[in-house]
Amino acid sequence: MGDLAVGARSGTEEPEEPAGRGETAGAATSSVHQSPDQSGTQSQRSAPADESDTSDTLDRSAGEEASGGMKKAKKPRAFWKELPILIGIALLLALLIKTFLVQAFSIPSDSMQDTLQRGDRVLVDKLTPWFGSKPERGEVVVFHDPGGWLNETPTPEPNPVQKVLSFIGLMPSAEEKDLIKRVIAVGGDTVECHGTGPVKVNGKPLKEDSYIFPGVTPCGDRAFGPIHVPKGRIWVMGDHRDDSLDSRYHQNLKGNGTVSEDEVVGRAFTIAWPINRWSTLPVPDTFDQPGINKAMGVAPAALGLAGAVPIVLWRRRRLTGARNPR
């Protein structure tokens, strides 16, 4: 601050001089505008002013450097002050991921053995349905209770901490009435199972040995069908056919045991916990066998052919009339 003060005075005041010299300087300065021959006198008399300007510039530079040093020396914000901001951002990201991308679900029963065990945590893809993806045969999906499927199943009451963690997606929800099953047939399919099986989709038998619970039959203790699955709905079954209250047991409800695609939360694509159970949940090869999609492909082709015939006949008649004018 002392340097700044000195710089301010040196820029506005000059050293005191005798009156005679001051008058001579004034005369010389005023004579510059009258006669170019006096340029030498102007240079000599203006030198003290130039030195004062230089001193002022140096003082200002020193002041700016001092101010910059004070800014650089500013201490960073303490970590504990930034911690709430970091936690808030993390919670917001977790909530967005749970809502639009991936959500964890806990397996509460044995209905999907041996594919899923009680207590497994699975990750469910919630993103692709936003882009119009529909459930496909063979996928393991999570869906909301269509109505009446879980009436006899008690729902555990979570504590406040569990509610918060479930809300933001850091813990599977225990309150939501969701189910997890395998999609066996989709809209437009015909599905049936008689005796000890196998399950047939559009007349094609499924080879389910790779995923159903060992020792049970494909039909379990409930034969069914043939059932035509309406458009926009799916037929689901658990992999433990003797311990799964799936579509077979709800044929007396709305939809005749089928589930609306709108109730599907997403596809379970991996087992995330426990670590020693980590694995993916791919679609079994039996659902890709040739001919299983035949029933769905014939109808559009037949409709297209039926619509094309009248158009072809009309166009042919028109061309014939143009070639043979009356």
Side-chain angles (χ1 to χ4, degrees), residues 127-212:
L127 176 63
T128 51
W130 287 89
F131 295 94
S133 176
K134 302 296 183 182
E136 298 183 2
R137 303 182 199 91
E139 293 181 345
V140 176
V141 297
V142 172
F143 56 94
H144 300 308
D145 183 359
W149 285 41
L150 293 176
N151 286 347
E152 300 178 357
T153 303
T155 302
E157 182 65 25
N159 58 49
V161 176
Q162 290 175 327
K163 289 183 178 181
V164 173
L165 295 178
S166 298
F167 176 74
I168 61 179
L170 297 180
M171 181 177 178
S173 176
E175 287 186 302
E176 296 178 0
K177 291 188 174 183
D178 297 323
L179 301 96
I180 184 166
K181 306 292 180 188
R182 189 180 298 276
V183 179
I184 301 299
V186 296
D189 287 345
T190 298
V191 59
E192 58 186 310
C193 189
H194 303 285
T196 58
V199 175
K200 294 182 179 180
V201 178
N202 299 327
K204 294 294 181 179
L206 299 179
K207 298 179 181 179
E208 302 184 285
D209 297 340
S210 63
Y211 58 85
I212 65 172

Side-chain angles (χ1 to χ4, degrees), residues 3 12 261:
D3 294 339
T12 56
E261 292 177 350

